[in-house]
Amino acid sequence: MQQRKGVERRTVLKAAGASLAVTGLGATATACGGGSGSGDGTVTIRYAWWGAEDRARRINKTIDLFEKKYPKIRVKTDFQPYSDFWKKFNTQASGGNPPDVFQNAIGFLRKYDAKNVLLDLEEQVKAGNLRMEGFRAGLDTFGEIDGKLLGVPVGSNSMALVIDKPVYARAGITPEMGWTWDDFDEAMARVRDRTGRAGDSGMYGVMYLYDLYLRQNGKAFFTEDALGFTESDLTRWWTKAEKGVTSGLFADPKKVAQIKPKSALSAELAGSEFTWDNFTVRYTSEGRSEYGLAPIPTTDGKRTGQYLGSLMLSASRRTEHPVEVARFIDFMVHDPEVARIMGYDRGVPATTAQYAAYRPTDPVNKAIAAYEESLVAADVLEPVTPHPNGADICEAAFLRIGEELGLGKRSVADAVEQFFDESKTALGS
């Protein structure tokens, strides 16, 4: 665990309430979100997130600013790598002592709402402690579930095709908005034939790409309480992916696994890779080439199925300091200086004030901003697909089973059956 230096707890935490296990909160549970108060009116709230050291450094700077503006509020921090974060959070939530405010994602909203972990922030909006105006491209509703405001976006991103620009130039490919999957398949063949490199890193386990493909065809990965596609749908998707590897259109999964954590694109195994637009920074730091963002292929030449996704800040239902937590969230999503410190670390700033405050000068981040602006201008953005309770387990299963399929450990039929078995259990369907 990492903690900011110089921030001390003012009082001992009050006793934790009853367990947030599957049976839910007990009726007599004692409210306890981990925040503390002192005799001079100063309170301490706990803030947790996932990420690396650089994100921690940036966030700590923003907290310093917040504490100067609100000297009666102290913030105690904790950050972990992604998987470790959720392991620790699950333990804290089950013990009735989650952090007061924490980084969140859409795949976890219904899950933790069902376990009575998340605070509905709408009351704080009505009280004037949290502003929900001034968000970009409909992001103000991104954290709303069943009429409750369970998360506030801090940044946005969208799926894109990251390309090796010199490779695409040698292959004579210029992707444009509205190109089709047939165009994409032809492009993969041209990269293979003209550059000696696989066209793409592979599509086995990219759940969010498959979601876009389904949305283009009138379906979606999730409905509000189940999967939104059939075994036949997934069989066709994974069969196409398998054939792409066999024909050399997609990179050899065994080689991709060998060079991890480096990406197949930056390792020069492939000419492109589907991922979130703000991950472009990764390829520039890993690879030797110049990378760019290309549009998502379409089924009909128009609909991409895209939406702006976002990391969010959520609050614990058990916090003793909902007002202070709301003010903290408001500061983090609206204050212009926060944007100048964070840059695009958590995506393109979600509010117009922060978006205007930070205008990147480096080519990579300028390209990310231009890409998202192009999506707005093309009017392709749609509402986000609902994510039911258990979506995070389905996502992990899709990635794991897709990798096993790629490595030859499962047949397509076996992989599809295994995924649906695990997903039905996770979703209770």
Side-chain angles (χ1 to χ4, degrees), residues 280-310:
T280 314
V281 178
R282 168 191 181 181
Y283 304 103
T284 302
S285 63
E286 285 184 352
R288 301 178 297 176
S289 191
E290 182 183 0
Y291 306 97
L293 293 166
I296 296 294
T298 69
T299 299
D300 61 3
K302 298 178 181 179
R303 186 180 184 186
T304 68
Q306 284 173 276
Y307 51 85
L308 289 184
S310 180

Side-chain angles (χ1 to χ4, degrees), residues 40-353:
D40 65 356
T42 300
V43 301
T44 298
I45 60 175
R46 291 162 51 216
Y47 173 34
W49 71 91
W50 65 83
E53 290 284 347
D54 182 62
R55 177 174 293 178
R57 178 181 61 80
R58 293 172 186 266
I59 287 179
N60 286 336
K61 287 184 178 181
T62 67
I63 291 173
D64 288 340
L65 289 179
F66 174 77
E67 291 180 339
K68 287 178 182 177
K69 182 174 182 179
Y70 295 97
K72 293 294 185 180
I73 306 175
R74 289 285 180 251
V75 183
K76 187 170 184 178
T77 67
D78 180 13
F79 77 95
Q80 312 280 341
Y82 180 80
S83 59
D84 293 339
F85 173 90
W86 289 112
K87 290 177 184 177
K88 182 172 183 177
F89 186 86
N90 283 332
T91 300
Q92 293 172 324
S94 296
N97 190 34
D100 298 274
V101 59
F102 54 94
Q103 189 170 285
N104 204 354
I106 192 168
F108 298 92
L109 290 183
R110 289 189 188 276
K111 174 177 182 175
Y112 288 109
D113 182 42
K115 293 185 177 183
N116 295 314
V117 174
L118 303 181
L119 176 68
D120 183 357
L121 290 162
E122 188 59 42
E123 182 177 341
Q124 295 303 320
V125 174
K126 293 177 181 177
N129 299 318
L130 174 60
R131 293 167 291 168
M132 290 305 295
E133 66 273 5
F135 282 81
R136 298 172 43 243
L139 284 169
D140 56 311
T141 61
F142 189 78
E144 291 183 3
I145 296 291
D146 301 330
K148 293 177 285 188
L149 179 60
L150 303 179
V152 180
V154 294
S156 70
N157 54 17
S158 191
M159 287 294 294
L161 179 66
V162 183
I163 65 171
D164 186 315
K165 294 173 73 173
V167 167
Y168 265 55
R170 292 202 305 273
I173 304 166
T174 305
E176 296 180 351
M177 186 71 73
W179 70 326
T180 66
W181 287 104
D182 288 339
D183 297 330
F184 172 76
D185 292 340
E186 181 181 345
M188 296 301 95
R190 292 175 74 171
V191 170
R192 178 197 62 192
D193 297 341
R194 298 186 183 187
T195 72
R197 190 183 299 188
D200 189 77
S201 64
M203 302 154 60
Y204 282 104
V206 189
M207 186 196 91
Y208 289 98
L209 175 65
Y210 185 45
D211 182 35
L212 298 190
Y213 179 79
L214 289 167
R215 287 159 65 93
Q216 291 176 17
N217 289 278
K219 297 186 178 183
F221 199 97
F222 292 117
T223 65
E224 291 189 1
D225 57 6
L227 296 175
F229 59 99
T230 66
E231 289 91 337
S232 295
D233 293 328
L234 184 56
T235 297
R236 285 191 293 271
W237 179 258
W238 271 344
T239 297
K240 181 177 180 179
E242 187 178 54
K243 288 180 178 178
V245 171
T246 303
S247 63
L249 297 183
F250 301 153
D252 182 344
K254 295 183 177 65
K255 293 182 179 179
V256 174
Q258 289 171 358
I259 54 93
K260 284 185 176 180
K262 197 171 186 178
S263 72
L265 177 58
S266 55
E268 301 181 0
L269 296 177
S272 61
E273 183 166 286
F274 288 100
T275 189
W276 298 104
D277 57 16
N278 63 316
F279 286 7
T280 314
V281 178
R282 168 191 181 181
Y283 304 103
T284 302
S285 63
E286 285 184 352
R288 301 178 297 176
S289 191
E290 182 183 0
Y291 306 97
L293 293 166
I296 296 294
T298 69
T299 299
D300 61 3
K302 298 178 181 179
R303 186 180 184 186
T304 68
Q306 284 173 276
Y307 51 85
L308 289 184
S310 180
L311 291 178
M312 292 174 282
L313 294 180
S314 292
S316 166
R317 186 175 179 179
R318 304 176 71 82
T319 182
E320 295 178 327
H321 307 294
V323 171
E324 289 80 4
V325 165
R327 288 174 178 166
F328 176 78
I329 295 175
D330 182 89
F331 181 85
M332 289 299 170
V333 300
H334 289 287
D335 187 86
E337 187 58 29
V338 169
R340 286 188 277 268
I341 292 172
M342 294 303 302
Y344 286 179
D345 178 81
R346 295 179 297 190
V348 179
T351 58
T352 54

